[in-house]
Amino acid sequence: MDRTLESLRHIIAQALPHRDPALVFKDLNVVSMLQEFWESKQQQRATCSSEGLVVYESMPSSGPPFVSYVTLPGGSCFGNFQCCLSRAEARRDAAKVALINSLFNELPSRRITKEFIMKSVQEAVASTSGTLDDADDPSTSVGAYHYMLESNLGKTMLEFQELMTIFQLLHWNGSLKALRETKCSRQEVISYYSQYSLDEKMRSHMALDWIMKERESPGILSQELREALGQLEEARKAGQELRFYKEKKEILSLALTQIYDPDPSSPSDDQLSLTALCGYH
Protein backbone atom coordinates (compact mmCIF):
# COMPACT_ATOMS: atom_id res chain seq x y z
CA MET A 1 0.00 0.00 0.00
CA ASP A 2 2.85 2.41 0.87
CA ARG A 3 4.51 1.65 -2.45
CA THR A 4 1.23 2.31 -4.29
CA LEU A 5 0.74 5.65 -2.53
CA GLU A 6 4.31 6.63 -3.33
CA SER A 7 3.76 5.72 -7.00
CA LEU A 8 0.58 7.82 -7.05
CA ARG A 9 2.41 10.81 -5.58
CA HIS A 10 5.06 10.44 -8.27
CA ILE A 11 2.39 10.34 -11.01
CA ILE A 12 0.62 13.40 -9.55
CA ALA A 13 3.94 15.27 -9.39
CA GLN A 14 4.53 14.50 -13.07
CA ALA A 15 1.02 15.12 -14.40
CA LEU A 16 0.03 17.94 -12.03
CA PRO A 17 3.33 19.61 -11.10
CA HIS A 18 1.59 22.68 -9.61
CA ARG A 19 -0.48 20.60 -7.17
CA ASP A 20 0.39 19.27 -3.74
CA PRO A 21 0.02 15.44 -3.99
CA ALA A 22 -1.12 15.29 -0.37
CA LEU A 23 -4.02 17.67 -1.06
CA VAL A 24 -5.17 16.59 -4.53
CA PHE A 25 -8.22 14.61 -3.42
CA LYS A 26 -9.19 17.19 -0.79
CA ASP A 27 -9.21 20.09 -3.24
CA LEU A 28 -12.73 21.25 -4.14
CA ASN A 29 -11.48 22.28 -7.56
CA VAL A 30 -11.16 18.64 -8.62
CA VAL A 31 -13.01 19.39 -11.89
CA SER A 32 -10.18 21.62 -13.11
CA MET A 33 -7.59 19.10 -11.88
CA LEU A 34 -9.16 16.33 -13.96
CA GLN A 35 -9.14 18.58 -17.02
CA GLU A 36 -5.54 19.56 -16.30
CA PHE A 37 -4.53 15.91 -15.99
CA TRP A 38 -5.96 14.96 -19.37
CA GLU A 39 -4.60 18.08 -21.06
CA SER A 40 -1.19 17.02 -19.77
CA LYS A 41 -1.72 13.53 -21.20
CA GLN A 42 -2.78 15.09 -24.50
CA GLN A 43 0.40 17.14 -24.70
CA GLN A 44 2.53 14.08 -23.96
CA ARG A 45 0.86 12.17 -26.77
CA ALA A 46 0.81 15.19 -29.10
CA THR A 47 -2.83 14.49 -29.96
CA CYS A 48 -5.36 16.98 -31.27
CA SER A 49 -7.40 18.96 -28.74
CA SER A 50 -10.69 17.17 -29.43
CA GLU A 51 -9.23 13.96 -28.01
CA GLY A 52 -8.37 15.69 -24.77
CA LEU A 53 -11.90 16.73 -23.87
CA VAL A 54 -13.49 15.68 -20.59
CA VAL A 55 -17.27 15.68 -21.04
CA TYR A 56 -19.79 16.11 -18.20
CA GLU A 57 -23.45 15.17 -18.31
CA SER A 58 -25.97 16.06 -15.62
CA MET A 59 -29.16 14.01 -15.46
CA PRO A 60 -32.41 16.02 -15.52
CA SER A 61 -33.89 16.27 -12.03
CA SER A 62 -36.29 18.66 -10.30
CA GLY A 63 -34.50 18.16 -6.99
CA PRO A 64 -31.90 16.14 -5.10
CA PRO A 65 -30.28 13.70 -5.20
CA PHE A 66 -28.51 14.83 -8.37
CA VAL A 67 -26.55 12.58 -10.73
CA SER A 68 -23.63 13.56 -12.93
CA TYR A 69 -21.49 11.54 -15.33
CA VAL A 70 -18.05 12.33 -16.72
CA THR A 71 -16.67 10.72 -19.87
CA LEU A 72 -12.92 10.65 -20.37
CA PRO A 73 -11.01 10.70 -23.67
CA GLY A 74 -11.37 7.22 -25.10
CA GLY A 75 -14.82 6.72 -23.64
CA SER A 76 -14.36 5.54 -20.05
CA CYS A 77 -17.24 6.85 -17.94
CA PHE A 78 -17.67 7.50 -14.22
CA GLY A 79 -20.36 9.05 -12.06
CA ASN A 80 -20.89 10.44 -8.59
CA PHE A 81 -21.39 7.69 -6.04
CA GLN A 82 -22.42 9.88 -3.13
CA CYS A 83 -25.87 11.34 -2.52
CA CYS A 84 -25.41 14.91 -3.80
CA LEU A 85 -27.68 17.81 -2.92
CA SER A 86 -26.62 20.04 -5.82
CA ARG A 87 -25.56 19.61 -9.44
CA ALA A 88 -22.19 21.21 -8.68
CA GLU A 89 -21.56 18.73 -5.87
CA ALA A 90 -22.51 15.80 -8.13
CA ARG A 91 -20.15 17.08 -10.82
CA ARG A 92 -17.29 17.39 -8.33
CA ASP A 93 -17.95 13.93 -6.96
CA ALA A 94 -17.97 12.40 -10.46
CA ALA A 95 -14.75 14.25 -11.28
CA LYS A 96 -13.13 12.91 -8.10
CA VAL A 97 -14.02 9.31 -8.98
CA ALA A 98 -12.69 9.83 -12.53
CA LEU A 99 -9.48 11.47 -11.30
CA ILE A 100 -8.74 8.66 -8.86
CA ASN A 101 -9.25 6.08 -11.61
CA SER A 102 -7.20 8.13 -14.08
CA LEU A 103 -4.28 8.32 -11.66
CA PHE A 104 -4.44 4.65 -10.70
CA ASN A 105 -4.51 3.81 -14.40
CA GLU A 106 -1.01 5.30 -14.70
CA LEU A 107 0.49 2.83 -12.21
CA PRO A 108 2.82 0.21 -13.74
CA SER A 109 0.61 -2.51 -12.25
CA ARG A 110 -2.28 -1.26 -14.39
CA ARG A 111 -0.59 -2.11 -17.68
CA ILE A 112 -1.07 -5.33 -19.56
CA THR A 113 2.15 -7.30 -19.28
CA LYS A 114 3.15 -10.87 -20.10
CA GLU A 115 2.82 -11.72 -16.41
CA PHE A 116 -0.65 -10.20 -16.24
CA ILE A 117 -1.73 -12.12 -19.34
CA MET A 118 -0.49 -15.41 -17.92
CA LYS A 119 -2.31 -14.86 -14.63
CA SER A 120 -5.51 -13.73 -16.36
CA VAL A 121 -5.54 -16.73 -18.68
CA GLN A 122 -5.03 -19.10 -15.75
CA GLU A 123 -7.97 -17.49 -13.95
CA ALA A 124 -10.10 -17.74 -17.11
CA VAL A 125 -9.24 -21.42 -17.48
CA ALA A 126 -10.19 -22.08 -13.85
CA SER A 127 -13.53 -20.27 -14.23
CA THR A 128 -14.48 -22.17 -17.41
CA SER A 129 -13.27 -25.64 -16.39
CA GLY A 130 -11.06 -25.62 -19.49
CA THR A 131 -7.37 -26.37 -19.93
CA LEU A 132 -4.32 -24.25 -20.61
CA ASP A 133 -4.22 -25.75 -24.11
CA ASP A 134 -7.42 -23.78 -24.83
CA ALA A 135 -5.42 -20.55 -24.54
CA ASP A 136 -3.64 -21.37 -27.81
CA ASP A 137 -6.87 -22.10 -29.65
CA PRO A 138 -8.62 -18.88 -30.83
CA SER A 139 -11.82 -20.84 -31.50
CA THR A 140 -12.33 -21.25 -27.73
CA SER A 141 -13.51 -18.46 -25.42
CA VAL A 142 -10.27 -18.67 -23.40
CA GLY A 143 -8.22 -18.60 -26.60
CA ALA A 144 -10.10 -15.53 -27.86
CA TYR A 145 -9.54 -13.79 -24.52
CA HIS A 146 -5.84 -14.70 -24.68
CA TYR A 147 -5.61 -13.33 -28.23
CA MET A 148 -7.32 -10.10 -27.20
CA LEU A 149 -4.94 -9.62 -24.27
CA GLU A 150 -1.89 -10.29 -26.44
CA SER A 151 -3.19 -7.79 -29.00
CA ASN A 152 -3.30 -5.13 -26.27
CA LEU A 153 0.06 -5.82 -24.67
CA GLY A 154 1.42 -2.63 -23.11
CA LYS A 155 -1.92 -0.84 -22.92
CA THR A 156 -3.51 0.32 -19.68
CA MET A 157 -6.53 -1.28 -18.05
CA LEU A 158 -8.79 1.65 -19.02
CA GLU A 159 -7.65 1.39 -22.64
CA PHE A 160 -8.34 -2.34 -22.61
CA GLN A 161 -11.72 -1.80 -20.94
CA GLU A 162 -12.70 0.59 -23.73
CA LEU A 163 -12.18 -2.22 -26.25
CA MET A 164 -13.86 -4.80 -24.02
CA THR A 165 -16.95 -2.57 -23.81
CA ILE A 166 -17.47 -2.96 -27.56
CA PHE A 167 -17.39 -6.76 -27.28
CA GLN A 168 -19.60 -6.72 -24.19
CA LEU A 169 -22.20 -4.77 -26.19
CA LEU A 170 -21.85 -7.05 -29.21
CA HIS A 171 -22.40 -10.07 -26.97
CA TRP A 172 -25.38 -8.44 -25.22
CA ASN A 173 -26.83 -7.38 -28.55
CA GLY A 174 -26.56 -10.86 -30.04
CA SER A 175 -24.19 -9.70 -32.79
CA LEU A 176 -21.35 -12.04 -31.76
CA LYS A 177 -23.65 -15.05 -31.98
CA ALA A 178 -24.82 -13.94 -35.43
CA LEU A 179 -21.23 -13.57 -36.59
CA ARG A 180 -20.35 -17.05 -35.34
CA GLU A 181 -23.26 -18.44 -37.37
CA THR A 182 -21.69 -16.90 -40.51
CA LYS A 183 -18.56 -18.98 -39.78
CA CYS A 184 -16.47 -15.96 -38.82
CA SER A 185 -13.73 -17.01 -36.42
CA ARG A 186 -13.37 -15.30 -33.06
CA GLN A 187 -9.95 -14.10 -34.13
CA GLU A 188 -11.41 -12.47 -37.26
CA VAL A 189 -14.15 -10.78 -35.24
CA ILE A 190 -11.67 -9.44 -32.68
CA SER A 191 -9.31 -8.18 -35.39
CA TYR A 192 -12.17 -6.47 -37.23
CA TYR A 193 -13.81 -4.70 -34.28
CA SER A 194 -10.50 -3.75 -32.67
CA GLN A 195 -10.11 -1.22 -35.49
CA TYR A 196 -13.34 0.60 -34.67
CA SER A 197 -14.49 2.89 -31.91
CA LEU A 198 -17.95 2.96 -30.39
CA ASP A 199 -19.63 5.76 -32.34
CA GLU A 200 -23.09 6.89 -33.40
CA LYS A 201 -23.08 4.58 -36.41
CA MET A 202 -22.45 1.50 -34.27
CA ARG A 203 -25.08 2.62 -31.73
CA SER A 204 -27.62 3.11 -34.53
CA HIS A 205 -26.99 -0.38 -35.89
CA MET A 206 -27.46 -1.88 -32.43
CA ALA A 207 -30.63 0.16 -31.90
CA LEU A 208 -32.02 -1.23 -35.18
CA ASP A 209 -31.31 -4.75 -33.92
CA TRP A 210 -33.33 -4.00 -30.78
CA ILE A 211 -36.18 -2.57 -32.84
CA MET A 212 -36.35 -5.93 -34.64
CA LYS A 213 -36.28 -7.77 -31.30
CA GLU A 214 -39.14 -5.56 -30.03
CA ARG A 215 -41.26 -6.41 -33.07
CA GLU A 216 -40.63 -10.10 -32.49
CA SER A 217 -41.13 -9.93 -28.70
CA PRO A 218 -43.18 -6.86 -27.67
CA GLY A 219 -42.10 -5.54 -24.29
CA ILE A 220 -38.48 -6.67 -24.46
CA LEU A 221 -37.21 -3.09 -24.82
CA SER A 222 -38.91 -1.99 -21.59
CA GLN A 223 -37.56 -5.05 -19.80
CA GLU A 224 -33.99 -4.52 -21.02
CA LEU A 225 -34.11 -0.81 -20.30
CA ARG A 226 -35.34 -1.38 -16.76
CA GLU A 227 -32.47 -3.81 -16.20
CA ALA A 228 -29.90 -1.45 -17.77
CA LEU A 229 -31.01 1.49 -15.61
CA GLY A 230 -30.79 -0.67 -12.49
CA GLN A 231 -27.30 -1.88 -13.42
CA LEU A 232 -26.18 1.67 -14.18
CA GLU A 233 -27.37 2.99 -10.82
CA GLU A 234 -25.85 0.09 -8.89
CA ALA A 235 -22.49 0.43 -10.64
CA ARG A 236 -22.47 4.22 -10.19
CA LYS A 237 -23.07 3.94 -6.44
CA ALA A 238 -20.20 1.43 -6.27
CA GLY A 239 -17.82 3.85 -8.02
CA GLN A 240 -17.30 1.51 -10.99
CA GLU A 241 -16.56 2.28 -14.62
CA LEU A 242 -19.97 2.81 -16.26
CA ARG A 243 -19.66 2.90 -20.01
CA PHE A 244 -21.13 -0.55 -20.74
CA TYR A 245 -24.29 0.12 -18.71
CA LYS A 246 -24.64 3.69 -19.97
CA GLU A 247 -24.25 2.62 -23.60
CA LYS A 248 -26.91 -0.06 -23.11
CA LYS A 249 -29.29 2.58 -21.76
CA GLU A 250 -28.58 4.97 -24.64
CA ILE A 251 -28.94 2.28 -27.34
CA LEU A 252 -32.25 1.10 -25.91
CA SER A 253 -33.50 4.67 -25.54
CA LEU A 254 -32.54 5.34 -29.16
CA ALA A 255 -34.52 2.27 -30.22
CA LEU A 256 -37.54 3.55 -28.29
CA THR A 257 -37.21 6.91 -30.00
CA GLN A 258 -37.23 5.29 -33.42
CA ILE A 259 -40.26 3.13 -32.62
CA TYR A 260 -42.54 5.50 -30.77
CA ASP A 261 -41.50 9.02 -31.71
CA PRO A 262 -39.15 9.35 -34.71
CA ASP A 263 -39.80 13.11 -34.80
CA PRO A 264 -36.56 15.10 -34.14
CA SER A 265 -38.45 17.15 -31.54
CA SER A 266 -39.07 13.98 -29.48
CA PRO A 267 -38.46 13.90 -25.70
CA SER A 268 -35.05 13.23 -24.21
CA ASP A 269 -33.67 9.73 -23.63
CA ASP A 270 -34.41 10.01 -19.93
CA GLN A 271 -38.04 11.00 -20.54
CA LEU A 272 -38.40 7.99 -22.84
CA SER A 273 -36.70 5.76 -20.27
CA LEU A 274 -39.16 6.89 -17.60
CA THR A 275 -42.12 6.39 -19.94
CA ALA A 276 -41.01 2.85 -20.78
CA LEU A 277 -40.67 1.93 -17.13
CA CYS A 278 -44.16 3.27 -16.43
CA GLY A 279 -45.68 1.02 -19.08
CA TYR A 280 -45.19 2.58 -22.49
CA HIS A 281 -46.86 -0.44 -24.07
Side-chain angles (χ1 to χ4, degrees), residues 80-100:
N80 60 297
F81 70 94
Q82 298 189 73
C83 180
C84 298
L85 302 181
S86 70
R87 288 185 175 82
E89 182 185 359
R91 183 177 169 127
R92 285 196 299 269
D93 194 51
K96 185 181 292 185
V97 175
L99 180 59
I100 291 172

mmCIF file of all heavy atoms in Angstrom, residues 80-100:
data_model
loop_
_atom_site.group_PDB
_atom_site.id
_atom_site.type_symbol
_atom_site.label_atom_id
_atom_site.label_comp_id
_atom_site.label_asym_id
_atom_site.label_seq_id
_atom_site.Cartn_x
_atom_site.Cartn_y
_atom_site.Cartn_z
ATOM 1 N N ASN A 80 -20.960 10.197 -10.033
ATOM 2 C CA ASN A 80 -20.888 10.439 -8.587
ATOM 3 C C ASN A 80 -21.503 9.253 -7.851
ATOM 4 O O ASN A 80 -22.534 8.719 -8.244
ATOM 5 C CB ASN A 80 -21.624 11.729 -8.220
ATOM 6 C CG ASN A 80 -23.093 11.704 -8.590
ATOM 7 O OD1 ASN A 80 -23.451 11.610 -9.763
ATOM 8 N ND2 ASN A 80 -23.965 11.792 -7.594
ATOM 9 N N PHE A 81 -20.856 8.823 -6.789
ATOM 10 C CA PHE A 81 -21.387 7.687 -6.041
ATOM 11 C C PHE A 81 -22.017 8.111 -4.717
ATOM 12 O O PHE A 81 -22.684 7.321 -4.053
ATOM 13 C CB PHE A 81 -20.293 6.630 -5.791
ATOM 14 C CG PHE A 81 -19.231 7.047 -4.822
ATOM 15 C CD1 PHE A 81 -19.337 6.723 -3.477
ATOM 16 C CD2 PHE A 81 -18.113 7.755 -5.249
ATOM 17 C CE1 PHE A 81 -18.354 7.097 -2.579
ATOM 18 C CE2 PHE A 81 -17.130 8.132 -4.362
ATOM 19 C CZ PHE A 81 -17.248 7.803 -3.018
ATOM 20 N N GLN A 82 -21.817 9.373 -4.349
ATOM 21 C CA GLN A 82 -22.420 9.883 -3.128
ATOM 22 C C GLN A 82 -23.786 10.512 -3.435
ATOM 23 O O GLN A 82 -24.095 10.838 -4.575
ATOM 24 C CB GLN A 82 -21.507 10.925 -2.479
ATOM 25 C CG GLN A 82 -20.157 10.367 -2.053
ATOM 26 C CD GLN A 82 -19.375 11.361 -1.231
ATOM 27 O OE1 GLN A 82 -19.692 11.621 -0.079
ATOM 28 N NE2 GLN A 82 -18.342 11.942 -1.827
ATOM 29 N N CYS A 83 -24.587 10.663 -2.394
ATOM 30 C CA CYS A 83 -25.872 11.343 -2.523
ATOM 31 C C CYS A 83 -25.587 12.844 -2.513
ATOM 32 O O CYS A 83 -25.174 13.402 -1.489
ATOM 33 C CB CYS A 83 -26.794 10.955 -1.369
ATOM 34 S SG CYS A 83 -28.421 11.741 -1.446
ATOM 35 N N CYS A 84 -25.786 13.500 -3.650
ATOM 36 C CA CYS A 84 -25.406 14.908 -3.802
ATOM 37 C C CYS A 84 -26.632 15.809 -3.827
ATOM 38 O O CYS A 84 -27.611 15.537 -4.527
ATOM 39 C CB CYS A 84 -24.593 15.083 -5.086
ATOM 40 S SG CYS A 84 -23.046 14.144 -5.082
ATOM 41 N N LEU A 85 -26.544 16.906 -3.070
ATOM 42 C CA LEU A 85 -27.682 17.814 -2.921
ATOM 43 C C LEU A 85 -27.686 18.953 -3.934
ATOM 44 O O LEU A 85 -28.619 19.754 -3.948
ATOM 45 C CB LEU A 85 -27.686 18.387 -1.499
ATOM 46 C CG LEU A 85 -27.757 17.341 -0.372
ATOM 47 C CD1 LEU A 85 -27.778 18.013 0.980
ATOM 48 C CD2 LEU A 85 -28.983 16.437 -0.550
ATOM 49 N N SER A 86 -26.653 19.018 -4.766
ATOM 50 C CA SER A 86 -26.619 20.038 -5.820
ATOM 51 C C SER A 86 -25.933 19.459 -7.047
ATOM 52 O O SER A 86 -25.173 18.485 -6.959
ATOM 53 C CB SER A 86 -25.871 21.288 -5.347
ATOM 54 O OG SER A 86 -24.477 21.020 -5.229
ATOM 55 N N ARG A 87 -26.198 20.078 -8.208
ATOM 56 C CA ARG A 87 -25.564 19.613 -9.444
ATOM 57 C C ARG A 87 -24.059 19.827 -9.392
ATOM 58 O O ARG A 87 -23.292 19.007 -9.902
ATOM 59 C CB ARG A 87 -26.168 20.340 -10.640
ATOM 60 C CG ARG A 87 -27.589 19.910 -10.962
ATOM 61 C CD ARG A 87 -28.117 20.558 -12.235
ATOM 62 N NE ARG A 87 -29.439 20.045 -12.592
ATOM 63 C CZ ARG A 87 -30.573 20.466 -12.078
ATOM 64 N NH1 ARG A 87 -30.565 21.438 -11.172
ATOM 65 N NH2 ARG A 87 -31.729 19.929 -12.442
ATOM 66 N N ALA A 88 -23.624 20.929 -8.784
ATOM 67 C CA ALA A 88 -22.195 21.207 -8.680
ATOM 68 C C ALA A 88 -21.496 20.155 -7.829
ATOM 69 O O ALA A 88 -20.392 19.698 -8.151
ATOM 70 C CB ALA A 88 -21.982 22.600 -8.084
ATOM 71 N N GLU A 89 -22.142 19.761 -6.743
ATOM 72 C CA GLU A 89 -21.564 18.732 -5.867
ATOM 73 C C GLU A 89 -21.475 17.395 -6.600
ATOM 74 O O GLU A 89 -20.479 16.673 -6.487
ATOM 75 C CB GLU A 89 -22.425 18.577 -4.612
ATOM 76 C CG GLU A 89 -21.870 17.564 -3.608
ATOM 77 C CD GLU A 89 -22.801 17.340 -2.429
ATOM 78 O OE1 GLU A 89 -23.877 17.993 -2.368
ATOM 79 O OE2 GLU A 89 -22.476 16.476 -1.581
ATOM 80 N N ALA A 90 -22.511 17.059 -7.373
ATOM 81 C CA ALA A 90 -22.513 15.805 -8.134
ATOM 82 C C ALA A 90 -21.402 15.809 -9.175
ATOM 83 O O ALA A 90 -20.716 14.801 -9.378
ATOM 84 C CB ALA A 90 -23.869 15.604 -8.808
ATOM 85 N N ARG A 91 -21.213 16.947 -9.806
ATOM 86 C CA ARG A 91 -20.153 17.078 -10.816
ATOM 87 C C ARG A 91 -18.781 16.914 -10.179
ATOM 88 O O ARG A 91 -17.912 16.221 -10.716
ATOM 89 C CB ARG A 91 -20.284 18.449 -11.485
ATOM 90 C CG ARG A 91 -19.291 18.707 -12.611
ATOM 91 C CD ARG A 91 -19.588 20.060 -13.220
ATOM 92 N NE ARG A 91 -18.548 20.503 -14.112
ATOM 93 C CZ ARG A 91 -18.740 20.890 -15.361
ATOM 94 N NH1 ARG A 91 -19.950 20.849 -15.876
ATOM 95 N NH2 ARG A 91 -17.750 21.302 -16.111
ATOM 96 N N ARG A 92 -18.573 17.526 -9.023
ATOM 97 C CA ARG A 92 -17.287 17.393 -8.327
ATOM 98 C C ARG A 92 -17.043 15.953 -7.908
ATOM 99 O O ARG A 92 -15.928 15.438 -8.016
ATOM 100 C CB ARG A 92 -17.238 18.310 -7.097
ATOM 101 C CG ARG A 92 -17.044 19.782 -7.420
ATOM 102 C CD ARG A 92 -16.627 20.557 -6.175
ATOM 103 N NE ARG A 92 -17.639 20.479 -5.117
ATOM 104 C CZ ARG A 92 -18.628 21.348 -4.971
ATOM 105 N NH1 ARG A 92 -18.748 22.358 -5.816
ATOM 106 N NH2 ARG A 92 -19.490 21.233 -3.979
ATOM 107 N N ASP A 93 -18.096 15.301 -7.421
ATOM 108 C CA ASP A 93 -17.946 13.929 -6.958
ATOM 109 C C ASP A 93 -17.615 13.000 -8.125
ATOM 110 O O ASP A 93 -16.766 12.111 -8.000
ATOM 111 C CB ASP A 93 -19.222 13.466 -6.258
ATOM 112 C CG ASP A 93 -19.022 12.200 -5.457
ATOM 113 O OD1 ASP A 93 -18.071 12.152 -4.642
ATOM 114 O OD2 ASP A 93 -19.795 11.245 -5.633
ATOM 115 N N ALA A 94 -18.269 13.205 -9.264
ATOM 116 C CA ALA A 94 -17.972 12.404 -10.456
ATOM 117 C C ALA A 94 -16.540 12.645 -10.914
ATOM 118 O O ALA A 94 -15.823 11.707 -11.301
ATOM 119 C CB ALA A 94 -18.958 12.742 -11.577
ATOM 120 N N ALA A 95 -16.116 13.909 -10.872
ATOM 121 C CA ALA A 95 -14.749 14.249 -11.276
ATOM 122 C C ALA A 95 -13.721 13.598 -10.349
ATOM 123 O O ALA A 95 -12.667 13.138 -10.799
ATOM 124 C CB ALA A 95 -14.566 15.767 -11.278
ATOM 125 N N LYS A 96 -14.042 13.534 -9.061
ATOM 126 C CA LYS A 96 -13.126 12.912 -8.098
ATOM 127 C C LYS A 96 -12.960 11.424 -8.388
ATOM 128 O O LYS A 96 -11.841 10.898 -8.396
ATOM 129 C CB LYS A 96 -13.638 13.110 -6.673
ATOM 130 C CG LYS A 96 -12.683 12.589 -5.599
ATOM 131 C CD LYS A 96 -13.251 12.784 -4.205
ATOM 132 C CE LYS A 96 -13.327 14.253 -3.850
ATOM 133 N NZ LYS A 96 -13.762 14.459 -2.445
ATOM 134 N N VAL A 97 -14.081 10.737 -8.652
ATOM 135 C CA VAL A 97 -14.017 9.311 -8.981
ATOM 136 C C VAL A 97 -13.196 9.098 -10.256
ATOM 137 O O VAL A 97 -12.355 8.194 -10.334
ATOM 138 C CB VAL A 97 -15.438 8.729 -9.166
ATOM 139 C CG1 VAL A 97 -15.371 7.275 -9.637
ATOM 140 C CG2 VAL A 97 -16.223 8.813 -7.866
ATOM 141 N N ALA A 98 -13.417 9.949 -11.261
ATOM 142 C CA ALA A 98 -12.694 9.835 -12.533
ATOM 143 C C ALA A 98 -11.208 10.132 -12.354
ATOM 144 O O ALA A 98 -10.362 9.466 -12.965
ATOM 145 C CB ALA A 98 -13.297 10.787 -13.562
ATOM 146 N N LEU A 99 -10.879 11.120 -11.519
ATOM 147 C CA LEU A 99 -9.480 11.475 -11.302
ATOM 148 C C LEU A 99 -8.743 10.356 -10.587
ATOM 149 O O LEU A 99 -7.611 10.003 -10.955
ATOM 150 C CB LEU A 99 -9.380 12.770 -10.497
ATOM 151 C CG LEU A 99 -7.957 13.265 -10.195
ATOM 152 C CD1 LEU A 99 -7.197 13.514 -11.493
ATOM 153 C CD2 LEU A 99 -7.997 14.537 -9.353
ATOM 154 N N ILE A 100 -9.371 9.777 -9.576
ATOM 155 C CA ILE A 100 -8.741 8.664 -8.856
ATOM 156 C C ILE A 100 -8.455 7.512 -9.823
ATOM 157 O O ILE A 100 -7.355 6.937 -9.834
ATOM 158 C CB ILE A 100 -9.652 8.184 -7.697
ATOM 159 C CG1 ILE A 100 -9.702 9.253 -6.597
ATOM 160 C CG2 ILE A 100 -9.158 6.861 -7.124
ATOM 161 C CD1 ILE A 100 -10.721 8.956 -5.506
#
